[in-house]
Amino acid sequence: MRNRAITAVAWVHKWSSIVCTLALFMLCLTGLPLIFHDEIESFSDSAALQGPASARTGQPLDTVVASALGDYAKAAGQRGVPLFIGFSSDNPLITVTIGPRADAPEADMRLFTYDRATGAAVGEVERGGVMDFLLQLHTDLLLGLPGMLFLGVMAILFVVALLSGLVLYVPFMRRLAFGTLRHDRSARVRNLDQHNLLGVLALGWTLVIGLTGAINAFADPLTAAWRNGELASMVADQDGQTALAPAEYGSIDKAMARAQAALPGQMPQFIGFPGGAWSSARHYAIFFHGDTPLTSHLLTPALVDAASGNLTDVRPMPATMQALMLSKPLHFGDYGGLALKLVWAALTLATLWVLWTGLVLWLGKRR
C-alpha cells in the first residue's frame, strides 16, 4: 500500500474512532449487565410458573384480556383498551398491555401478567427499575428517536473504524509474528501491541455488534416503513373503512384459531390490537415464529379482521424487518444460553481495553 493511501486510511481510522469512543464506552458499560438481563431478572421472580407454554395452550385469551381490563380499571380508575398480548414459548406466563386508548404512547401503557395455565394474576410489571434505565440509556440515551439515530451513526462510525483498522494492521504488523507483544519496549509500544492484538482477535465479534447495533438504532424508522408499505398493502382492499372501536372487537380466540390454521406448526409471539403501531385500524395482527434458535426470531404476521374474525392476509415480513428481528438477540448474545453470554461479556471487556488503549495512544501522541 502506498504511503499516501496509508496516511488517508490512518486519518479515517483515527477520527472515526475518536468521534465514537465516548459513546462506545457508555454502550459497553451498559451492555455488560444487559447481556445477563434474563438471569438478573430471574433473581427477583418469587417462583417459577409451572405448566404448558402460554404460546401453546391455557385459559381462553378472551378471559385473560377481560381480567387485565378489570385490573387496569381498578389500578387506573378508568376503563382501558387492550393494546398487546405477549406469549412465552417455555412457561405459562402471558402479558397483556392495556392503555387509555388504542394509540396510547408507551409511557401510558401498563403491563399485567397472568398464569395462563390457571388464569391467576401474577402482578403488574413495574417500570423504572435499574435494568429498564440501563436499557433505555443503551438504546436511545433517554432521548427517544434522536438518541437512537445518534447512536446509530456512532455504530456506523465504529464499523468504519474497525475496517480501516484492519487495513492498517496488515502493513504495520507484517514484520512481526502474529500475537507479538513487545514487553521490552516503551509503554506506548506495549499499548499499541495490545490494541492491535485484541482488536484483530475480537474483530469478527465487534463487526457483528457494530452492524447489529446500527440496525437496532433504526428500528423505529424501519417499523414505520413496514407499516406504511407492507402492512398497508395487506389491507389495501379495505382502505376507507373507519377505525374499529374497542366495543366492536370480536373474539380473540376465534381470530387466533383462524391464524393458526393458516400457519400450522408455528407459535404466536405477540398480538397487536387495532390502532397500534403493529397493526391496522381494524385488525388483530398476530405474529408467529418457529421453535428453533434461528426461526424463533423470524416473525410472520397474520392479519385477522377484529370484527368478523375472518383472516385477511398472511405474509412474511420483508428482509429489512427480518434483519431487525435477528439483530436484536444477536446483539446481546441471546442465541446460545449462558455460555454464549459469557463469551459476549468477555469480548465486551476486551473491546473496552481496545478503546482505552486507543485513547491512550491518541492522547500520548498529542502530548
Side-chain angles (χ1 to χ4, degrees):
M1 185 182 293
R2 296 181 179 274
N3 289 339
R4 182 175 298 179
I6 291 177
T7 301
V9 174
W11 185 91
V12 170
H13 180 70
K14 178 177 71 173
W15 288 108
S16 60
S17 302
I18 291 170
V19 171
C20 68
T21 289
L22 185 60
L24 291 174
F25 269 119
M26 182 278 297
L27 291 171
C28 287
L29 292 173
T30 56
L32 266 175
L34 290 173
I35 293 172
F36 303 100
H37 63 96
D38 288 333
E39 289 75 12
I40 292 172
E41 289 174 355
S42 67
F43 290 140
S44 62
D45 292 342
S46 56
L49 299 180
Q50 302 296 322
S54 62
R56 297 189 180 277
T57 187
Q59 295 293 312
L61 296 175
D62 293 322
T63 302
V64 176
V65 171
S67 298
L69 289 170
D71 291 340
Y72 177 86
K74 293 177 184 177
Q78 61 177 340
R79 297 180 63 180
V81 176
L83 304 177
F84 297 99
I85 297 176
F87 300 91
S88 172
S89 58
D90 51 25
N91 64 63
L93 190 70
I94 187 170
T95 303
V96 182
T97 304
I98 308 292
R101 60 184 189 277
D103 60 348
E106 186 176 353
D108 293 341
M109 299 177 185
R110 300 182 72 161
L111 283 68
F112 299 89
T113 56
Y114 300 89
D115 182 344
R116 193 183 177 190
T118 64
V122 176
E124 183 176 356
V125 177
E126 297 293 335
R127 295 176 178 269
V130 174
M131 295 305 293
D132 282 342
F133 172 78
L134 290 177
L135 179 60
Q136 201 71 22
L137 187 62
H138 188 88
T139 303
D140 60 17
L141 298 174
L142 310 178
L143 297 174
L145 181 58
M148 292 178 68
L149 297 179
F150 171 78
L151 291 178
V153 173
M154 294 299 103
I156 293 171
L157 286 175
F158 180 46
V159 172
V160 171
L162 292 171
L163 295 176
S164 57
L166 177 62
V167 172
L168 290 174
Y169 180 83
V170 175
F172 276 101
M173 299 299 292
R174 64 178 181 271
R175 296 174 182 171
L176 296 175
F178 179 78
T180 298
L181 295 174
R182 292 169 287 181
H183 297 289
D184 57 337
R185 301 288 296 275
S186 66
R188 178 174 176 80
V189 172
R190 293 197 299 271
N191 281 328
L192 178 63
D193 287 345
Q194 293 175 28
H195 180 83
N196 289 337
L197 179 60
L198 285 178
V200 76
L201 287 176
L203 179 64
W205 179 82
T206 48
L207 279 173
V208 168
I209 295 302
L211 291 171
T212 55
I215 294 172
N216 292 340
F218 295 96
D220 285 357
L222 288 174
T223 303
W226 170 78
R227 177 180 170 84
N228 296 328
E230 195 79 7
L231 180 62
S233 68
M234 292 173 73
V235 296
D237 60 340
Q238 299 184 16
D239 280 350
Q241 296 192 26
T242 58
L244 199 65
E248 301 178 81
Y249 293 174
S251 169
I252 308 167
D253 291 289
K254 180 181 177 181
M256 178 63 75
R258 292 288 178 84
Q260 286 179 318
L263 292 167
Q266 296 202 43
M267 293 185 294
Q269 186 182 86
F270 72 95
I271 300 175
F273 280 74
W278 289 87
S279 186
S280 74
R282 56 180 300 110
H283 288 84
Y284 295 131
I286 308 175
F287 290 79
F288 290 85
H289 63 88
D291 56 2
T292 67
L294 177 62
T295 60
S296 64
H297 301 289
L298 295 174
L299 301 182
T300 301
L303 290 187
V304 180
D305 190 288
S308 67
N310 294 326
L311 182 68
T312 298
D313 197 1
V314 177
R315 193 180 301 181
M317 302 191 82
T320 53
M321 289 300 293
Q322 298 289 18
L324 176 62
M325 298 302 168
L326 289 172
S327 70
K328 288 184 176 181
L330 183 58
H331 190 74
F332 291 108
D334 282 349
Y335 279 102
L338 182 60
L340 183 61
K341 292 183 178 184
L342 291 172
V343 173
W344 249 236
L347 290 168
T348 301
L349 292 173
T351 302
L352 280 169
W353 188 249
V354 173
L355 293 172
W356 172 250
T357 52
L359 186 61
V360 169
L361 288 169
W362 179 64
L363 292 174
K365 189 173 182 178
R366 287 177 62 84
R367 287 196 297 267

